[in-house]
Amino acid sequence: MKLLLFFTLAFPNLLYSYPKFIGHGYNNCMTCHYNSQGNGPLTDYGRALGATEVAGKVFRPNKTNEEVGKSSNFLWMNAPLPFGIRPSINYRGILFSRNVGDGDVINDMWSEADYINMQVSANVAIKLDEKDKFTVVGELSYNPDDKSDTENVLRSREYYFRFMPNRNFVGYVGLTDKVFGVRFENHYLFSKSSLGLSQDDQSHGITGVYQSDQFELTGQYFIGNIHIEGETEQSGFSAKAVYKPNSFSRFGVSILNSSSPFKEKTYLAFHSEYGLGHGASVIGEFGLTSDTVVSSNTDTSGRYFLLQATLRPTRGLYLYQTLEYIKRDTSSENYTMRLGPGLQWFVDQGLEFRFDLLNDRSVSSAASGGSSTYNDNWEFISQVHLWL
């Protein structure tokens, strides 16, 4: 279980998905991303916005926002590359410490900590026309220390063709993440890792998005990842409807239905994202799950809940607190809660640090009746992210 937590945390899927930025008044992910769901390569505007509003200026304190924004392109060039080519290079490493708190808390964080080089990736977006109506996006990642997939250290988690005939509609064909719920950057969350929506759960399919100033409607049909052999991949559909009354709020509902020869899934989620201004935000998601084992026709219903509150005390620094709850089987008394603070620091454009201290508490029915609480389990995770 701890190893699963380690790998699901290690890849905040494809670089940039930070829903907490609604605290800056951005309720539309396509403001900054080629992908309407918020992950993957940034547009020219997204790069400039990240450099001038999100990231700090620790290494360039005397530069104006205009100067920083102008040099926000690939390799900090003052102008983007010609012919619509928009590349980026990324590195991500993680330091993971288990069982923090069993003795001396500070020493526990480092005594048995493991540092892993998790990802070296190259992304490119190629704009096929001047108005961004047609775009090709691709990613290739080398994962040198990924112990979960030692035979395949070179792979792609995203490639697609995007077509946008007008400002209200955009479509995608290719390998992308499944559309469901809030697209958080931390994939250890129950709403991701427990639902099969984590860092390695992309699927081939087609996605259509209709958006206006107040509404965003997304539908997706997917067939599973065709690069994965066997019959375990899920195929099906998902849909997401979001109401945006103003630039600081999003309220939505998502549904996902999929199946394989072994398992059928039906998920429903209600989610809200609310910006408080100055980078502060509150995000919540409540979901109901149904998993059916095909061979035995056994259905298991569950539910989960997530609440995350974020403050930005100064430019580039985000402090957040996350509360999670999951009950994988509503017919039992077993459930798990997770609570922990986190820190995300965009030191300067191209450098990010993240720290999370997580407390898991599992409660299960005792043999003699009633309930018993297991000892708390603490995990400390820190990450470094470099991008050009």
Side-chain angles (χ1 to χ4, degrees):
M1 185 65 185
K2 294 175 182 176
L3 188 61
L4 175 63
L5 172 63
F6 164 67
F7 283 113
T8 54
L9 179 63
F11 288 99
N13 197 16
L14 294 179
L15 316 179
Y16 300 115
S17 175
Y18 301 128
K20 61 173 67 71
F21 289 167
I22 196 170
H24 293 285
Y26 298 102
N27 68 0
N28 185 342
C29 296
M30 281 192 64
T31 302
C32 298
H33 295 268
Y34 290 102
N35 191 321
S36 65
Q37 302 306 300
N39 65 285
L42 294 166
T43 63
D44 294 344
Y45 181 83
R47 274 182 170 267
L49 184 66
T52 58
E53 186 166 353
V54 175
K57 297 193 295 181
V58 172
F59 303 133
R60 301 175 291 178
N62 297 324
K63 284 188 175 292
T64 66
N65 274 350
E66 182 179 358
E67 291 172 326
V68 171
K70 186 179 180 180
S71 61
S72 62
N73 302 287
F74 179 59
L75 297 178
W76 299 291
M77 293 186 297
N78 288 332
L81 290 176
F83 309 112
I85 300 175
R86 301 294 183 265
S88 60
I89 300 173
N90 296 266
Y91 167 81
R92 192 178 297 277
I94 182 171
L95 182 72
F96 180 75
S97 183
R98 307 166 181 84
N99 299 320
V100 175
D102 288 350
D104 187 300
V105 174
I106 301 299
N107 289 334
D108 285 344
M109 285 188 179
W110 310 109
S111 59
E112 298 183 3
D114 296 316
Y115 184 83
I116 305 295
N117 297 296
M118 291 303 300
Q119 185 179 25
V120 180
S121 67
N123 295 65
V124 64
I126 303 174
K127 305 195 294 182
L128 303 181
D129 66 300
E130 294 182 356
K131 296 184 178 180
D132 285 357
K133 287 187 175 183
F134 304 100
T135 309
V136 175
V137 174
E139 180 259 5
L140 186 63
S141 177
Y142 173 64
N143 307 279
D145 296 335
D146 187 349
K147 297 181 178 63
S148 67
D149 195 8
T150 56
E151 296 181 356
N152 187 16
V153 295
L154 190 66
R155 58 175 173 242
S156 176
R157 289 185 173 88
E158 179 180 63
Y159 56 83
Y160 58 83
F161 171 68
R162 187 188 86 158
F163 51 97
M164 191 173 182
N166 56 62
R167 66 181 298 270
N168 297 113
F169 179 81
V170 59
Y172 305 85
V173 178
L175 180 66
T176 62
D177 288 309
K178 297 170 187 175
V179 174
F180 186 83
V182 179
R183 185 69 62 84
F184 282 98
E185 72 272 24
N186 285 338
H187 283 258
Y188 67 84
L189 298 174
F190 296 143
S191 61
K192 298 300 177 187
S193 60
S194 298
L195 273 61
L197 300 172
S198 194
Q199 80 281 356
D200 287 321
D201 294 318
Q202 293 78 33
S203 183
H204 288 86
I206 182 169
T207 305
V209 184
Y210 171 82
Q211 54 186 349
S212 64
D213 292 338
Q214 289 191 314
F215 294 96
E216 184 177 309
L217 307 175
T218 305
Q220 182 183 58
Y221 173 74
F222 54 89
I223 60 173
N225 191 330
I226 63 176
H227 301 303
I228 297 178
E229 298 179 357
E231 298 181 322
T232 59
E233 285 296 286
Q234 294 272 317
S235 62
F237 73 92
S238 63
K240 183 177 179 179
V242 175
Y243 171 57
K244 303 177 290 186
N246 54 61
S247 61
F248 283 93
S249 56
R250 290 167 57 94
F251 304 95
V253 58
S254 297
I255 186 171
L256 184 149
N257 180 268
S258 64
S259 64
S260 73
F262 308 101
K263 196 173 187 179
E264 297 178 355
K265 299 180 179 181
T266 302
Y267 299 152
L268 175 68
F270 302 91
H271 34 88
S272 63
E273 303 158 67
Y274 191 77
L276 305 174
H278 304 289
S281 65
V282 177
I283 302 174
E285 181 172 331
F286 172 77
L288 302 172
T289 65
S290 176
D291 295 278
T292 302
V293 178
V294 174
S295 59
S296 61
N297 197 30
T298 303
D299 179 72
T300 302
S301 298
R303 59 175 178 260
Y304 68 90
F305 171 79
L306 179 148
L307 183 66
Q308 185 178 90
T310 302
L311 295 174
R312 190 189 71 152
T314 187
R315 175 171 168 170
L317 181 62
Y318 296 83
L319 307 177
Y320 55 90
Q321 178 72 42
T322 304
L323 171 65
E324 293 186 273
Y325 162 91
I326 189 168
K327 193 170 190 177
R328 293 176 173 84
D329 186 355
T330 55
S331 65
S332 74
E333 297 300 322
N334 303 343
Y335 66 90
T336 302
M337 296 188 67
R338 179 185 289 151
L339 176 68
L343 179 154
Q344 192 171 18
W345 183 23
F346 296 89
V347 180
D348 207 316
Q349 185 194 8
L351 178 60
E352 172 197 352
F353 291 106
R354 190 182 309 166
F355 304 92
D356 290 273
L357 182 62
L358 309 173
N359 170 240
D360 284 5
R361 173 174 294 182
S362 297
V363 176
S364 62
S365 177
S368 58
S371 62
S372 58
T373 302
Y374 293 108
N375 292 332
D376 292 351
N377 181 45
W378 291 87
E379 314 282 351
F380 175 74
I381 304 101
S382 62
Q383 296 185 52
V384 58
H385 179 202
L386 304 172
W387 72 94
L388 302 174

